[in-house]
Amino acid sequence: MNLREVHPKISREFSLRLGRLQPRDKVRAIVMLRAEGNGVARARRPSRAERQAAAKMISRSAEAVLPEIDRILERFEGHRLAEHPNAVGAIPVETTADGVIALAGADCVKTILEDQNILPAAESNS
Amino acid sequence: MLNTILETTIITETKISPAFAPFLADSGPNDIRDAIVIFRAPKPEEPPARGRLRALRMKLKEVETRARSQQAIQREVLANYQKAGSRSLPDKGELQVSTIGSNALPVASVEVTPKTLPILAEQPNVVAILPNQRISLIRPKEVDYKALLRQEEKDAVTWGLKQLGIPELWKTTKGKGINVAVLDTGVFAAHPALAGRVADFIVIDPLGRRVKSDPPFDCGAHGTHVCGTIAGGQTAKGVSIGVAPEANLYVAGVLIGDATLRTLMEGISWAVEKGVDIINMSLGFSYFEPLFDEVFKILLDQFGILPVVAIGNENHGNTSSPGNTPNAFSVGAVEKVKGGKYDVTFFSSGASLVFPGDEASALVTKPDVVAPGAQVFSCIPPEKRPDGVFDYSYMNGTSMATPHVAGVAALLMAAKPEAPVAEIIRALKETAKHPGGDGLRPDNRWGYGMIQPARALRALG
């Protein structure tokens, strides 16, 4: 697959950056996994306990697809950077550009984001 | 024949900047003014490879190649224009044309008249024509903070809280029981204005590890300032700085060291596990990542958590990611101006993003709303300066507007515990005030407008 083609699960900018990598270069990414929640939030505002229960549910649901993620990562010299998926069903990984594309092809993956820098949004102070 | 003329006219008009309108309206047919013409550039080669030196060499080579190929196009465009243009001049004189720089950019400087403008625009290799104009440096306005502080001490409230009518809302609620996560540089929880407000604190290190720290600390001042605007109390002189002074703060230090998306994701997960109601994100990414919207969607749909995000300080026409994704509740900044009025600050970002084919989000206009984000007085960790130690400061930025909205959302949620988060968002948007009237909402400067908390509360029934 041409890395510069935009994959629907990878943003255009991330695709371009992947396309510039050498075959063995590694990239860090956040893989958003398909995970089932309880969906209570659509009808009303959930309580704190309900949110915590939903977080566990999503994390557990995402955990179930990790063997598939691991198999792909193994093929592309990659590995997970965390033991368990987090409360929103995301797991950080490190792999090659081809590994990212292979992960994007898996049904259990919703989107993949590059582990890019973040900054505060302040203008100035006095 | 008529169709061809019409098509030519449309193409020609789209190439001439609307900024020529006054010139075309007020000048004689042969009056001359300077213009910048942009012509078609050859398609770029492959993007540069990784590695700084290699990338730089390739870039230079690409610029040289591009300049050579552009020269030919430019020569043709300018020669054709001079030939055709001079025929339209009364004395058959010559219009001045000149190149700009070394042809690295496909632009040239030309003289135009109302008669020759369409002639230039008709050339197939001309992309756009702009009037030449003066440019000036955008200087931050000097603000007399002493006078502002005197006024705020007199009012016993910051200008932002006063403008939003927050003291009136405190008769109904002060945000008790609402948990607001702040993902920022940390918090100096020992500040007197934050006494009893920081319910939990965690540091997320650049490897995404959670590090417990007691006492909570701020690696800068940004996080403490943001926390003060959300839930701070009063200064020693009695100035109220926080919108929801009884809300609880859950602070994750995610902007410590080389912070990345992974650090932020861990902070979001921590906040979700704590069961918070609102997440304040006064931060931005290095580059545009539209797919981060998936995270906001999960927060809203699965947890009923409101993500309030700064739209960025890159001026009008730009926006910062992730505030510019459809499901972020993004906030622009307004400043206090003369006559007790307010206006969107020059630095506040705003733009409309177009995603053809994406039915749900074909057009995304940001910010969603605006709030006070300039000359914002709040608490900071004690800072030694030549004239003493200061633990309050004025800051500017959409970072400062965002916690005003997070605080207001906390007040609304406390007053209306049953209202789903989608209704809170709808109430804040629909009751916001746009200076051009409701018909102009949303635009990419004001969004839906300046939030009006009391009206939003009434709208929630």
Side-chain angles (χ1 to χ4, degrees), chain B residues 42 45 56-72 102-105:
Chain B
E45 298 290 317
L56 187 63
R57 279 185 188 145
M58 284 186 71
K59 193 103 196 157
L60 281 171
K61 203 175 150 202
E62 187 193 313
V63 168
E64 284 166 8
T65 315
R66 183 185 276 256
R68 273 197 299 276
S69 52
Q70 278 167 188
Q71 259 172 2
S102 57
N103 285 104
L105 293 174

Side-chain angles (χ1 to χ4, degrees), chain A residues 4-124:
Chain A
R4 273 187 275 117
E5 278 175 22
V6 180
H7 193 288
K9 294 182 188 176
I10 302 170
S11 70
R12 186 178 172 78
E13 178 65 23
F14 188 22
S15 297
L16 285 169
R17 292 162 75 91
L18 287 174
R20 291 173 200 153
L21 290 180
Q22 298 300 309
R24 293 184 74 93
D25 283 352
K26 296 278 180 71
V27 63
R28 289 185 172 195
I30 311 292
V31 181
M32 299 290 298
L33 301 167
R34 280 194 199 287
E36 291 300 314
N38 54 19
V40 294
R42 287 180 204 115
R44 60 181 172 81
R45 209 158 75 240
S47 68
R48 194 175 179 197
E50 284 172 327
R51 284 193 184 115
Q52 288 168 330
K56 279 187 187 146
M57 198 177 196
I58 288 178
S59 184
R60 264 202 302 270
S61 169
E63 186 96 30
V65 303
L66 285 184
E68 190 180 346
I69 299 298
D70 286 343
R71 275 195 295 278
I72 297 169
L73 289 172
E74 208 178 334
R75 276 171 36 217
F76 294 96
E77 301 170 51
H79 63 283
R80 275 190 268 143
L81 295 170
E83 205 176 335
H84 305 287
N86 69 12
V88 293
I91 187 95
V93 302
E94 186 176 78
T95 185
T96 60
D98 284 341
V100 172
I101 300 299
L103 285 168
D107 285 343
C108 63
V109 170
K110 269 200 280 194
T111 52
I112 307 178
L113 317 164
E114 188 182 9
D115 187 21
Q116 60 166 300
N117 289 342
I118 58 168
L119 308 155
E123 169 73 6
S124 61

Side-chain angles (χ1 to χ4, degrees), chain B residues 184-203:
Chain B
D184 215 289
T185 55
V187 62
F188 177 65
H191 197 291
L194 294 173
R197 297 276 52 88
V198 180
D200 206 345
F201 174 71
I202 196 87
V203 172

Side-chain angles (χ1 to χ4, degrees), chain A residues 2 4 6-22 25-59 80-94 110-126, chain B residues 46-50 54 140 145 178-179 184-185 206-207 210 221-222 250 254-255 258-266 268-270 272-277 282-292 294-295 298-305 310 312-313 321 346-347 383 385 392-400 412-414 416-421 424:
Chain A
N2 182 351
R4 273 187 275 117
V6 180
H7 193 288
K9 294 182 188 176
I10 302 170
S11 70
R12 186 178 172 78
E13 178 65 23
F14 188 22
S15 297
L16 285 169
R17 292 162 75 91
L18 287 174
R20 291 173 200 153
L21 290 180
Q22 298 300 309
D25 283 352
K26 296 278 180 71
V27 63
R28 289 185 172 195
I30 311 292
V31 181
M32 299 290 298
L33 301 167
R34 280 194 199 287
E36 291 300 314
N38 54 19
V40 294
R42 287 180 204 115
R44 60 181 172 81
R45 209 158 75 240
S47 68
R48 194 175 179 197
E50 284 172 327
R51 284 193 184 115
Q52 288 168 330
K56 279 187 187 146
M57 198 177 196
I58 288 178
S59 184
R80 275 190 268 143
L81 295 170
E83 205 176 335
H84 305 287
N86 69 12
V88 293
I91 187 95
V93 302
E94 186 176 78
K110 269 200 280 194
T111 52
I112 307 178
L113 317 164
E114 188 182 9
D115 187 21
Q116 60 166 300
N117 289 342
I118 58 168
L119 308 155
E123 169 73 6
S124 61
N125 65 321
S126 51
Chain B
E46 294 292 303
R50 268 204 163 185
R54 185 168 40 172
Y145 287 105
I178 298 301
N179 300 316
D184 215 289
T185 55
L207 294 177
R210 295 180 188 186
H222 191 265
Y250 286 76
V254 299
L255 293 166
D258 288 332
T260 66
L261 196 55
R262 183 183 174 194
T263 332
L264 177 64
M265 289 296 286
E266 194 59 32
I268 289 174
S269 184
W270 176 80
V272 169
E273 289 162 36
K274 293 290 168 188
V276 301
D277 302 279
S282 292
L283 49 80
F285 294 166
S286 298
Y287 70 79
F288 180 46
E289 181 46 275
L291 297 181
F292 194 79
E294 187 59 43
V295 177
I298 292 171
L299 291 178
L300 289 163
D301 291 349
Q302 300 295 337
F303 300 106
I305 296 173
N313 306 321
S321 194
F346 75 91
F347 60 74
E383 193 177 289
R385 295 182 195 165
Y392 289 91
S393 171
Y394 282 98
M395 285 195 191
N396 303 316
T398 51
S399 274
M400 283 62 243
L412 299 180
M413 286 182 179
K416 303 288 173 190
E418 294 297 317
V421 68
I424 302 283

Side-chain angles (χ1 to χ4, degrees), chain B residues 375-427:
Chain B
Q375 308 127 28
V376 176
F377 187 66
S378 186
C379 52
I380 55 167
E383 193 177 289
K384 202 172 173 186
R385 295 182 195 165
D387 45 349
V389 176
F390 292 84
D391 54 4
Y392 289 91
S393 171
Y394 282 98
M395 285 195 191
N396 303 316
T398 51
S399 274
M400 283 62 243
T402 305
H404 277 98
V405 175
V408 168
L411 294 180
L412 299 180
M413 286 182 179
K416 303 288 173 190
E418 294 297 317
V421 68
E423 273 187 36
I424 302 283
I425 293 172
R426 195 163 40 242

